[in-house]
Amino acid sequence: MLGGFRDRPLGHLRLTVPRMAVPLIVTPLLPQFRNAYPDISVEISVDDAAIDITERGFDAGIRIGEAIEKDMIVMRLTSDITWTVVGSPGYFARYGRPLTPEDLTRHQAIRYRYPTSGVIYRWEFERDGRDFSVDAPGNLMVNDFLLLLELAEAGLGLAYLPDISVGEAVASGRLERVLDPFLPTTPGLFAYFPARSQTQLKLRAFLDMATALLRRKG
């Protein structure tokens, strides 16, 4: 009897995830995960800041690959991310379209401030093999990716976002992409966890279901 319990995923699973992972992974996954594994309680902390998951007592985290601590075990969840500059049709009708990154100085950006450092993100581009950044001007500033997306859809400015966050809004016509030839590709989303977590059945169950979900989404 006790052996059966040891072979069944159960316990309390603590995860830290970035805001962009909420609609992509967390919201679509949790209903089926809870149905499949009712003995696992799930605690999710949504935070775009860098987190020391060992110190904070998390079983695992999800982050963009370049932001992961070096001593973690890493598992890829998505393909690489291509960054995008997007705006609403109404915004472009009113202000026109930037044709080069330098044109952004004549536009309104919705700016992003890092939650931990407080630094305002400079939009990154590439041209002829050279990386450069632009401090896009704007009088709106947020520290939340989903709010950034919603404000762009409302026509309040241009936003710099990962393609995995804007795909549905672009496909439906709520947002349009600009400056694609100048935009970089970076590592995608990865799950990461300390060695002590890799044998946990509860974590393995979550990661197996997450990767299956993302494969179906393509």
Side-chain angles (χ1 to χ4, degrees):
M1 179 69 70
L2 291 177
F5 280 104
R6 284 195 297 267
D7 295 335
R8 189 174 73 206
L10 48 79
H12 187 63
L13 180 65
R14 295 191 73 224
L15 304 171
T16 171
V17 305
R19 188 71 62 177
M20 74 170 73
V22 172
L24 183 71
I25 299 172
V26 176
T27 303
L29 179 64
L30 275 184
Q32 57 182 294
F33 184 78
R34 294 290 299 133
N35 285 335
Y37 301 104
D39 295 322
I40 300 176
S41 61
V42 181
E43 179 182 348
I44 294 175
S45 173
V46 180
D47 199 331
D48 287 328
I51 297 292
D52 184 331
I53 61 175
T54 301
E55 181 180 300
R56 298 277 295 274
F58 289 102
D59 296 299
I62 296 174
R63 289 294 186 273
I64 293 175
E66 59 191 10
I68 294 175
E69 304 158 50
K70 300 302 182 185
D71 58 346
M72 294 287 119
I73 296 173
V74 176
M75 176 180 171
R76 177 181 285 274
L77 295 177
T78 73
S79 58
D80 288 347
I81 290 170
T82 298
W83 292 86
T84 64
V85 175
V86 292
S88 71
Y91 176 91
F92 292 128
R94 184 174 181 182
Y95 297 106
R97 296 169 179 269
L99 300 179
T100 70
E102 290 79 7
D103 291 342
L104 291 169
T105 58
R106 298 189 294 275
H107 283 265
Q108 281 289 315
I110 306 168
R111 309 174 80 191
Y112 179 81
R113 188 187 292 277
Y114 286 104
T116 303
S117 68
V119 172
I120 299 172
Y121 179 68
R122 293 174 61 93
W123 294 9
E124 298 178 71
F125 298 95
E126 56 187 25
R127 180 193 284 128
D128 300 326
R130 181 178 66 89
D131 299 330
F132 63 100
S133 63
V134 173
D135 189 13
N139 53 17
L140 276 176
M141 192 178 304
V142 302
N143 68 350
D144 183 291
F145 269 98
L146 291 187
L147 180 57
L148 191 61
L149 178 63
E150 291 175 3
L151 294 179
E153 290 186 19
L156 296 180
L158 300 178
Y160 189 99
L161 288 162
D163 57 353
I164 58 176
S165 295
V166 303
E168 193 274 331
V170 170
S172 68
R174 301 195 308 275
L175 290 175
E176 298 175 1
R177 295 172 59 155
V178 292
L179 302 178
D180 279 0
F182 304 99
L183 286 154
T185 297
T186 60
L189 287 175
F190 289 76
Y192 67 104
F193 43 90
R196 63 173 171 77
S197 296
Q198 63 182 323
T199 58
Q200 294 179 355
L201 294 180
K202 60 184 180 181
L203 178 58
R204 174 51 55 191
F206 183 88
L207 293 177
D208 286 348
M209 192 168 283
T211 53
L213 168 72
L214 291 167
R215 278 197 301 269
R216 291 196 299 272
K217 286 186 171 186

